[in-house]
């Protein structure tokens, strides 16, 4: 294969240039981190599973009218994506209390929220991705007001679509994280959507089918990701 220029390497993925200035290759690694990389490990075959799961979900969202950076799957670990300017904000949507929200508000894990919530975190590893609000986004010029409105609209629509999608696979969508980018002046969904970036609980048993198995040392991590992949692609 020809030598490709690496333009970015994150904790779970690598981005390479292509001959087309508008397109990048997104490579999925097996590396797993938690708590801002304080905990490190690998999940065998994770890159392959997340590439496939993410591809399916992007295809589904595109079919429902959400613009994404996804172009096509290239091989087991790589997808072709549009080259976006990433907006340095993580957008977290929640349906059920878990993780950091339980800590923040003293809630019992599993509490059904009366309505979905949306949080923003500033993507800045050295600050541990602190939670921010729209005033901070405006004050730091992280995104334009009109782009924030678009992001909110997409985030709640994606929640509705993904809740229904996973429900049909007997999986409850507890919460998830999204990243958006700008491509030719428009906001589009970027990054990945996978068990790394969602909390997914099996309907009925409540079994965790996501990265919390790694974060909390619950075991059977590969099996959980495999289970999600099997259901998403069946
Ligand atoms: P949290 O409860 O730890 O804030 O996580 C909320 C959701 O966001 C959960 O589905 C995991 C996902 N997430 C990421 O994808 N990346 C991150 O760095 C963090 C902290 C959470």
């Amino acid at each position: 294969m020809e030598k490709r220029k690496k333009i970015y390497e994150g904790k779970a993925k690598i981005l390479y240039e292509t001959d087309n200035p508008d397109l990048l290759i997104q490579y999925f690694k097996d590396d797993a981190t938690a708590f801002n990389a304080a905990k490190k490990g690998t999940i065998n075959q994770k890159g392959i599973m997340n590439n496939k799961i993410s591809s399916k979900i992007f295809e589904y969202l595109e079919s429902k009218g959400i613009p994404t950076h996804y172009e096509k799957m290239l091989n087991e670990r790589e997808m072709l994506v549009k080259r976006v300017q990433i907006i340095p904000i993580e957008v977290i949507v929640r349906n059920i209390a878990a993780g950091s929200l339980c800590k923040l508000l003293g809630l019992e894990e599993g509490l059904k929220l009366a309505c979905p919530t949306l949080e923003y975190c500033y993507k800045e590893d050295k600050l541990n991705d602190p939670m921010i609000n729209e005033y901070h986004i405006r004050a730091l010029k992280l995104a334009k007001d009109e782009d924030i409105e678009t992001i909110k609209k997409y985030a709640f629509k994606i929640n509705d679509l993904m809740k229904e999608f996973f429900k049909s696979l007997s999986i409850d969508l507890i919460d998830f994280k999204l990243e958006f980018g700008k491509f030719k002046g428009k906001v589009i969904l970027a990054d990945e959507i996978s068990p790394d970036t969602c909390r997914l609980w099996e309907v009925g048993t409540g079994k965790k089918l996501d990265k919390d198995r790694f974060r909390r040392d619950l075991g059977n991590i590969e099996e959980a990701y495999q289970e999600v992949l099997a259901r998403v692609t069946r």
Side-chain angles (χ1 to χ4, degrees), residues 18-130:
T18 68
D19 294 340
N20 185 332
D22 285 339
L23 298 175
L24 297 175
I25 293 166
Q26 177 162 265
Y27 175 97
F28 288 76
K29 304 194 278 188
D30 286 348
D31 298 351
T33 62
F35 316 115
N36 198 20
K39 179 183 175 103
K40 288 192 177 116
T42 58
I43 300 173
N44 194 27
Q45 308 257 81
K46 173 170 82 80
I48 294 172
M49 298 187 280
N50 281 359
N51 184 31
K52 292 181 179 172
I53 294 166
S54 246
S55 292
K56 272 282 168 197
I57 296 175
F58 282 139
E59 283 166 17
Y60 168 71
L61 293 175
E62 283 276 356
S63 79
K64 300 289 184 184
I66 304 289
T68 79
H69 73 156
Y70 176 79
E71 288 282 317
K72 63 176 178 181
M73 218 169 86
L74 293 171
N75 55 54
E76 286 207 309
R77 283 186 185 272
E78 296 177 331
M79 64 167 70
L80 191 65
V81 298
K82 295 187 180 77
R83 183 177 196 147
V84 302
Q85 203 67 38
I86 282 283
I87 297 168
I89 298 170
E90 298 193 343
V91 180
I92 295 172
V93 178
R94 301 176 193 268
N95 299 301
I96 306 273
S100 70
L101 188 72
C102 292
K103 214 176 213 169
L104 184 73
L105 300 178
L107 304 176
E108 186 95 34
E109 186 172 76
L111 175 82
K112 187 176 179 338
L113 302 169
C115 62
T117 64
L118 185 144
E119 294 157 22
Y120 304 109
C121 293
Y122 180 30
K123 250 173 89 71
E124 188 57 83
D125 279 342
K126 62 176 188 287
L127 301 174
N128 263 317
D129 298 346

Side-chain angles (χ1 to χ4, degrees), residues 11 35-36 90-94 98-102 119 121 129 174-179 191 195-199 211-212 215:
K11 287 176 280 203
F35 316 115
N36 198 20
E90 298 193 343
V91 180
I92 295 172
V93 178
R94 301 176 193 268
S100 70
L101 188 72
C102 292
E119 294 157 22
C121 293
D129 298 346
I174 306 307
D175 58 32
F176 58 95
K177 184 264 299 180
L178 301 172
E179 294 184 29
D191 196 54
D196 272 18
T197 65
C198 301
R199 284 196 175 92
K211 196 172 152 190
D212 269 349
R215 295 189 189 99

Side-chain angles (χ1 to χ4, degrees), residues 153-170:
K153 185 184 77 184
Y154 286 160
F156 285 119
K157 172 107 190 280
I158 291 166
N159 185 43
D160 288 341
L161 291 168
M162 292 217 302
K163 258 197 310 200
E164 185 187 295
F165 177 76
F166 280 113
K167 196 73 175 192
S168 76
L169 308 175
S170 289

